[in-house]
Amino acid sequence: MQQRLARGEAAALGELYDRFASLVHMLALRVLDDEDAADQVTREVFGYIWENPDAYDPKQGSMRSWVAKLTNSQAVHRLRQSEAASVADGSGSPEELELKVRRATVAARADYIVTSMPAPLRAALELAYHQRRDYRETARDLGVSEDEARRRLRLGLQLLSTAHARPLERSSPPGYGRPW
């Protein structure tokens, strides 16, 4: 994909967009809570990818993770810009802005983790969270043993807990995080 993008193949960008546009939009919307701003971030992320196909380094992780990181960086940048006005006019404080950015980033990271986890773990968590099932009910609904249901729930929650574990990243890829 990266090589095709580097050669300027528009079809490669189309395939990448088809594969990741919903993820990009969902993450941006989670951070910004604004449909129009999320649409703009989505366009900016794919514009950046098109203009900088060599910025992706497969040694650093999957393309999905890279696209998610780009999205988070740009969405947080936009959130900081939009909220800076409230700090400047005195209706907000820098601490409130940082708290809002941190919460939005953690929520977006949690969404990303849930959408990226294996389907059996996600199904167990969805039953436990959305339908308020305990591990016994989850086991019955999934057709697995109670031990397996507990294992899936525990592993899923451990993965989800990592959304809080990483500090808020302030750095962004070279040339990224600024309006284009």
Side-chain angles (χ1 to χ4, degrees):
M1 180 69 68
Q2 181 183 22
Q3 292 169 353
R4 292 176 58 210
L5 287 168
R7 288 192 302 263
E9 288 184 32
L13 182 64
E15 290 173 28
L16 194 71
Y17 184 87
D18 290 345
R19 189 180 308 165
F20 297 122
S22 62
L23 171 70
V24 170
H25 189 269
M26 182 258 315
L27 293 173
L29 185 60
R30 186 70 156 147
V31 171
L32 298 166
D33 196 28
D34 178 332
E35 193 73 39
D36 292 334
D39 289 344
Q40 183 64 32
V41 166
T42 301
R43 287 190 295 276
E44 290 169 352
V45 166
F46 285 100
Y48 175 81
I49 292 168
W50 178 248
E51 293 171 5
N52 302 280
D54 294 330
Y56 170 63
D57 181 2
K59 296 175 195 157
Q60 298 294 321
S62 70
M63 185 165 279
R64 177 183 174 90
S65 295
W66 179 68
V67 169
K69 185 175 181 178
L70 291 175
T71 303
N72 186 63
S73 295
Q74 187 62 12
V76 166
H77 175 74
R78 280 192 164 271
L79 180 62
R80 286 184 192 282
Q81 280 184 320
S82 66
E83 294 295 320
S86 66
V87 172
D89 71 11
S91 64
S93 71
E95 294 80 19
E96 289 171 342
L97 170 60
E98 287 306 311
L99 183 59
K100 186 172 186 174
V101 168
R102 187 171 305 277
R103 284 181 180 155
T105 301
V106 168
R109 194 176 299 129
D111 286 348
Y112 175 75
I113 290 167
V114 169
T115 62
S116 299
M117 70 176 49
L121 300 182
R122 187 173 51 249
L125 285 178
E126 288 172 352
L127 285 170
Y129 181 76
H130 293 296
Q131 297 182 24
R132 304 282 191 227
R133 302 279 199 263
D134 65 20
Y135 75 93
R136 288 183 179 101
E137 295 166 324
T138 299
R140 187 183 64 242
D141 290 350
L142 294 176
V144 298
S145 70
E146 290 180 5
D147 285 341
E148 177 62 14
R150 277 195 303 263
R151 188 191 68 73
R152 289 180 186 184
L153 288 168
R154 184 175 32 249
L155 184 55
L157 289 171
Q158 286 171 341
L159 288 171
L160 199 52
S161 73
T162 64
H164 292 281
R166 290 181 17 205
L168 181 64
E169 294 177 16
R170 292 185 176 266
S171 62
S172 56
Y176 196 78
R178 294 181 295 278
W180 295 294

